[in-house]
Amino acid sequence: MLAKTVLSLGLWLQFAAGQNTPKRGPQPSLSDSEGDLLFLLDSSGSVSYYEFSRVKEFIWDLMRPFTFGPNDVQTSIIHISTTPTMEFPFDRYLSSGTVQQAIRDTQQLMGDTNTGKALSYAKEKFFSDEAGARPGVPKVLVWVTDGFSTDDISEPMQLLKDMGVTVFIVSTGRGNYLELSAAASQPPEKHLHFVDVDDLSIITKELRDAILDVIQANRFHAVDITSSSFRLIWPKLLSQETGYYTLEYAPIDDPGRKKTKQVSGAHTNLMLSSLAPETTYQVALIPESNMHYIPPQTTRVTTLAEEISPALVLISESKPHSFHVSWAPTPDSVIGYQILYGPLPGDSVKLLEVDGKRNSTAVENLAPNTTYLVTVTAIYKSGKEKSLSAKACTQEEGSKVRHLRFEPIGPNTLKASWNSADGKVLGYRVRCRRQTGPSSLISVSPQIHSVLLTDLVSGTTNKVCVKPMYKNQPGKGLCRMVHMQPA
């Protein structure tokens, strides 16, 4: 683990110094792509300097093979902070060297995590000549987040997707899966990634390939594919004045079911819905130009298997006497859900019933420090049922660390102390996220209520969290920021 941390830090130091990052295998140039690629970068105070630096390294590693230019890929960065800020317009840096330097020079702004405000700002810039954005090219948003936002993201994110923007989300924290999977383009398994900030390189190739699927030049293709719909995207070939598009689509094994739609020449995307699951469709885009002949483009798209609910059950917001149960997806074919829950071991079971349009409920009046078996059953209109179970643990009464304090021991060392938590504590975990240098995690026995934190650089601000550990689950942690005085 230490070797991995030292290697990761060394790679970043080389990147920050302007040297070429060691290659992780062949990196052929990607010159057949065209699109505006926008990174939504969490620049708020909830992200440490170290995490911000690792994300910058990840962004450059992701983009390194692309060819940049007015007819290729253009990129920009928008900071998530109290007020959103564009680091540079899309058309400012049009070579690999200048893009790398611009990413290296990007500085963290701190402030609040106003992601919703940044998304609204991104919607303006994605289609702005002033920001260097180009009409008629694929638009891709990559949001790198620690999973926290101080404002609502659902409405501005949906507006972006409705305008044809493909959204990828990389969560380096404990983001809400249901919220983030709804925010990302569909399906979430292709557009949503959960990964530790030290392991971002694991997803680089997979994410780059998914972006390539969107921004291949002059490519008529589908995104946001579900069991009953997909969105078609194509390059701008016409205008409102020069013609319109005819789209024809039918299952390849039943061409007699062909359907036709027409849209104006100003369109570059269209959502097709009410489709059959697990079916391959032949789709043709026919530009009807009143100026000159433009050849049709075709593609084949296969819809996903029918959504089966519940495919995922999540337990959150655990307290001594309650917890929250969430599930996904929530297809229209489900009329209601039954939630059975009871303590383990035991044969006492209680039942909750909720409407089929809901995807969560609170379970209350529970015993503290107890493991429960929770089973969510979907009741379909057809009468069939599908169930999925998960274990949930209530917290110990008063399971919270109190009064976290610090005492300087030396120029780079602090003593962190805390008062004991209530209940049968099995130990404590102390995590230190350094502004400069790797994070550390220390586990101590329940009798110990202090640790020494070393290698804290003078003049830095570091985040220290202490969490009690119980038999079934961790208790509530207590976090504080601590500033090291300059030498």
Side-chain angles (χ1 to χ4, degrees):
M1 182 67 188
L2 178 60
K4 174 185 172 184
T5 304
V6 171
L7 175 60
S8 298
L9 184 57
L11 292 176
W12 170 245
L13 289 174
Q14 288 190 1
F15 175 79
Q19 301 175 15
N20 290 327
T21 306
K23 294 184 183 297
R24 297 179 176 86
Q27 296 287 339
S29 176
L30 303 174
S31 58
D32 61 343
S33 306
E34 182 180 24
D36 289 342
L37 180 56
L38 177 62
F39 288 90
L40 201 61
L41 182 57
D42 191 342
S43 191
S44 68
S46 68
V47 177
S48 71
Y49 175 81
Y50 173 75
E51 292 168 324
F52 189 79
S53 300
R54 292 310 307 271
V55 170
K56 289 203 300 180
E57 177 190 359
F58 164 69
I59 290 174
W60 170 241
D61 195 35
L62 184 71
M63 301 185 66
R64 212 153 27 104
F66 287 117
T67 299
F68 300 95
N71 298 312
D72 297 292
V73 174
Q74 293 186 168
T75 189
S76 180
I77 292 174
I78 286 180
H79 293 270
I80 300 173
S81 185
T82 304
T83 301
T85 302
M86 177 171 265
E87 180 71 18
F88 48 83
F90 288 100
D91 57 355
R92 176 170 296 174
Y93 301 113
L94 301 179
S95 69
S96 293
T98 56
V99 170
Q100 180 185 20
Q101 183 65 47
I103 296 172
R104 184 165 58 242
D105 292 343
T106 299
Q107 299 296 314
Q108 188 172 1
L109 301 183
M110 307 304 285
D112 297 329
T113 315
N114 291 334
T115 307
K117 187 182 292 187
L119 287 167
S120 298
Y121 181 74
K123 181 172 71 69
E124 298 173 7
K125 298 301 180 183
F126 247 139
F127 301 92
S128 164
D129 292 339
E130 179 186 354
R134 296 166 292 179
V137 303
K139 310 286 186 181
V140 175
L141 175 70
V142 179
W143 173 27
V144 185
T145 174
D146 63 358
F148 175 75
S149 177
T150 55
D151 58 353
D152 177 65
I153 67 167
S154 56
E155 183 176 350
M157 188 67 89
Q158 188 59 50
L159 287 173
L160 275 169
K161 291 188 289 186
D162 288 345
M163 297 174 75
V165 177
T166 302
V167 177
F168 295 92
I169 300 177
V170 178
S171 176
T172 61
R174 295 185 177 182
N176 183 298
Y177 174 83
L178 294 176
E179 181 182 75
L180 294 180
S181 62
S185 291
Q186 298 300 307
E189 55 266 24
K190 183 176 180 180
H191 297 87
L192 174 61
H193 298 271
F194 285 86
V195 63
D196 188 83
V197 72
D198 287 320
D199 297 321
L200 284 166
S201 60
I202 294 174
I203 67 167
T204 300
K205 184 181 184 303
E206 181 181 353
L207 178 56
R208 185 191 297 129
D209 289 344
I211 292 172
L212 275 172
D213 285 343
V214 180
I215 64 173
Q216 293 290 344
N218 299 319
R219 185 166 175 255
F220 174 47
H221 65 285
V223 297
D224 296 349
I225 302 171
T226 71
S227 61
S228 61
S229 66
F230 51 78
R231 183 183 296 278
L232 295 165
I233 295 179
W234 59 89
K236 187 174 180 64
L237 305 172
L238 302 171
S239 68
Q240 184 78 34
E241 294 76 24
T242 60
Y244 61 92
Y245 297 101
T246 298
L247 285 116
E248 299 177 346
Y249 60 101
I252 60 171
D253 57 357
D254 190 2
R257 291 168 52 196
K258 182 177 74 173
K259 294 185 178 181
T260 302
K261 290 183 178 291
Q262 289 185 345
V263 294
S264 76
H267 282 70
T268 56
N269 69 90
L270 178 69
M271 176 69 79
L272 298 183
S273 57
S274 301
L275 306 175
E278 291 188 283
T279 301
T280 300
Y281 285 84
Q282 180 77 23
V283 187
L285 173 74
I286 306 169
E288 308 281 5
S289 172
N290 55 27
M291 303 289 291
H292 53 84
Y293 172 73
I294 302 175
Q297 299 187 35
T298 61
T299 187
R300 286 188 175 184
V301 187
T302 302
T303 52
L304 303 181
E306 185 177 11
E307 290 181 312
I308 301 298
S309 179
L312 176 72
V313 173
L314 293 175
I315 309 297
S316 61
E317 300 177 27
S318 177
K319 298 177 182 178
H321 299 286
S322 67
F323 50 74
H324 205 78
V325 183
S326 306
W327 54 89
T330 53
D332 294 336
S333 53
V334 173
I335 60 173
Y337 293 92
Q338 294 180 344
I339 294 88
L340 290 169
Y341 62 97
L344 291 175
D347 53 8
S348 173
V349 176
K350 293 185 178 181
L351 171 67
L352 284 174
E353 293 184 311
V354 300
D355 184 82
K357 296 186 182 301
R358 292 177 56 183
N359 68 349
S360 66
T361 187
V363 180
E364 300 175 321
N365 301 317
L366 305 174
N369 196 29
T370 302
T371 300
Y372 285 83
L373 180 65
V374 181
T375 301
V376 179
T377 301
I379 311 298
Y380 285 80
K381 295 176 182 177
S382 63
K384 72 176 182 179
E385 299 181 0
K386 169 72 165 56
S387 299
L388 189 65
S389 299
K391 288 184 179 180
C393 302
T394 52
Q395 290 190 346
E396 186 89 14
E397 293 272 19
S399 57
K400 184 177 181 180
V401 170
R402 296 178 177 85
H403 192 35
L404 176 59
R405 55 202 179 273
F406 303 100
E407 177 186 351
I409 301 299
N412 302 108
T413 303
L414 283 178
K415 179 181 179 182
S417 305
W418 60 92
N419 292 357
S420 61
D422 296 332
K424 297 180 180 179
V425 180
L426 301 181
Y428 297 91
R429 287 183 180 173
V430 184
R431 182 179 294 275
C432 179
R433 291 191 178 273
R434 293 169 174 81
Q435 181 178 341
T436 300
S439 300
S440 61
L441 180 64
I442 304 172
S443 297
V444 297
S445 64
Q447 297 80 21
I448 295 177
H449 302 127
S450 65
V451 296
L452 289 181
L453 303 174
T454 60
D455 301 323
L456 301 172
V457 178
S458 299
T460 61
T461 299
N462 309 279
K463 185 177 183 179
V464 180
C465 298
V466 180
K467 182 177 292 187
M469 307 304 295
Y470 293 92
K471 179 180 179 181
N472 292 321
Q473 65 176 15
K476 294 181 180 178
L478 179 61
C479 297
R480 282 187 59 191
M481 305 297 291
V482 57
H483 181 73
M484 300 297 293
Q485 295 297 326

